[in-house]
């Protein structure tokens, strides 16, 4: 019966994920596909008629990332406009449990702990054949390229971890007789320069210059994707279908198991 309940819970979680993705798909489809020349022309026309600073539109544009001065990712030191990094400690720890008769059992359990993570981004230009526009990627849902997933056998505590521009003094108190450290895993993903991307977000002239950023309407999503509009819509559709089948399967199998167990 417990397995049936677990499957029903998993089914409910899959249904919730499907609903969230359905909203993102609807938002993606509602964004107006355009180019940068058209946005600049519209903004200039509206500014001449009623003044600047109040124009808003929800758009999607395909173009290439350009930037005057990129940032360097913290670990691999790769030029980019956005990166996220994570350092994890991998170790095993002694756990003591008791069975129904009160007998104590000891076992070593493998564990992973995040000891450092960081995200950084900078505004960049999105450039197509008609012009370029500033994009502020803050708070966006950003596709990235994984550039690092490396395990290093650094088991000693009390020293310094170093990788690229990252450094961290380790805590002497972590290591004791009940723990054994295997090492540390370094992970990093970036949004690289000179990469073609799809930007879905709000364009406005509220800062004095035209730029794309997070929409003020919470129902409109802000996404930066490495896929084209068509590929992204297809991907969402495929995920929706898979989540639906997973939801139905978990619920049906879970109910059958509970019914048999009764």
């Amino acid at each position: 019966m417990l397995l049936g309940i677990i499957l029903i819970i998993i089914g409910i979680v899959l249904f919730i994920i499907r609903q969230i993705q359905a909203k993102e798909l609807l938002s993606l489809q509602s964004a107006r596909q355009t180019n940068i020349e058209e946005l600049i022309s519209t903004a200039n026309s509206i500014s001449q008629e009623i003044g600047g600073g109040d124009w808003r539109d929800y758009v999607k544009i395909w173009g290439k990332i350009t930037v005057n001065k990129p940032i360097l990712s913290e670990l691999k030191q790769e030029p980019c406009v956005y990166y996220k990094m994570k350092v994890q400690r991998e170790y095993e720890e002694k756990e003591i449990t008791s069975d129904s008769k009160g007998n104590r059992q000891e076992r070593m359990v493998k564990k992973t702990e995040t000891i450092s993570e960081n995200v950084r981004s900078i505004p960049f230009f999105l450039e197509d054949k008609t012009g370029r526009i500033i994009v502020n990627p803050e708070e966006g849902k950003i596709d990235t390229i994984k550039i690092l997933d490396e395990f290093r056998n650094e088991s000693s505590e009390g020293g310094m971890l170093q990788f690229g521009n990252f450094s961290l003094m380790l805590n002497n108190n972590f290591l004791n007789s009940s723990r054994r450290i295997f090492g540390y895993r370094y992970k990093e993903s970036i949004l690289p320069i000179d990469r073609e991307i799809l930007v879905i977000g709000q364009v406005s002239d509220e800062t004095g210059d035209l730029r794309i950023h997070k929409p003020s309407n919470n129902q409109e999503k802000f996404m930066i994707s490495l896929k084209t509009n068509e590929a992204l819509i297809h991907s969402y559709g495929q995920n929706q279908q898979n989540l639906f089948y997973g939801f139905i399967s978990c619920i049906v199998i879970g109910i059958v198991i509970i019914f048999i167990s009764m």
Side-chain angles (χ1 to χ4, degrees), residues 23 27 57 64 119 134 136 158 183 204 234 252:
K23 290 181 181 178
S27 181
D57 198 2
K64 185 173 73 172
V119 175
I134 299 171
N136 182 359
S204 73
H234 176 75
V252 171

Side-chain angles (χ1 to χ4, degrees), residues 40-55 205 208:
I40 294 173
S41 175
T42 301
N44 289 338
S45 297
I46 292 175
S47 178
Q48 290 173 6
E49 290 180 13
I50 61 173
D54 295 319
W55 180 56
D205 59 352

Side-chain angles (χ1 to χ4, degrees), residues 28 96 149 205 214 223 235 260:
L28 170 62
I96 301 174
D149 188 350
D205 59 352
K214 180 184 177 183
M223 292 181 272
S235 176
I260 293 174

Side-chain angles (χ1 to χ4, degrees), residues 98-195:
S98 299
D99 59 22
S100 57
K101 296 181 180 180
N103 298 318
R104 286 161 54 91
Q105 296 178 331
E106 292 185 4
R107 61 172 185 158
M108 298 300 289
V109 180
K110 291 183 178 180
K111 296 184 177 181
T112 300
E113 174 191 22
T114 298
I115 61 172
S116 181
E117 55 186 332
N118 190 25
V119 175
R120 189 184 171 197
S121 66
I122 57 170
F124 59 87
F125 291 108
L126 182 69
E127 188 174 299
D128 66 10
K129 295 178 180 179
T130 68
R132 68 179 189 174
I133 189 172
I134 299 171
V135 177
N136 182 359
E138 241 180 88
E139 299 185 69
K141 182 180 179 181
I142 302 173
D143 281 353
T144 56
I145 296 172
K146 182 186 290 186
I147 59 170
L148 178 67
D149 188 350
E150 181 179 325
F151 177 79
R152 290 188 173 184
N153 184 13
E154 302 166 306
S155 58
S156 62
E157 288 292 293
M160 177 81 76
L161 284 184
Q162 288 187 311
F163 196 126
N165 202 35
F166 167 80
S167 62
L168 178 68
M169 181 66 71
L170 297 172
N171 187 348
N172 277 318
N173 297 327
F174 181 82
L175 193 60
N176 57 45
S177 59
S178 66
R179 295 193 186 109
R180 183 167 73 91
I181 298 172
F182 298 123
Y184 296 84
R185 184 168 298 278
Y186 300 85
K187 297 181 179 182
E188 191 166 61
S189 298
I190 66 170
L191 183 61
I193 59 174
D194 298 326
R195 179 79 186 212

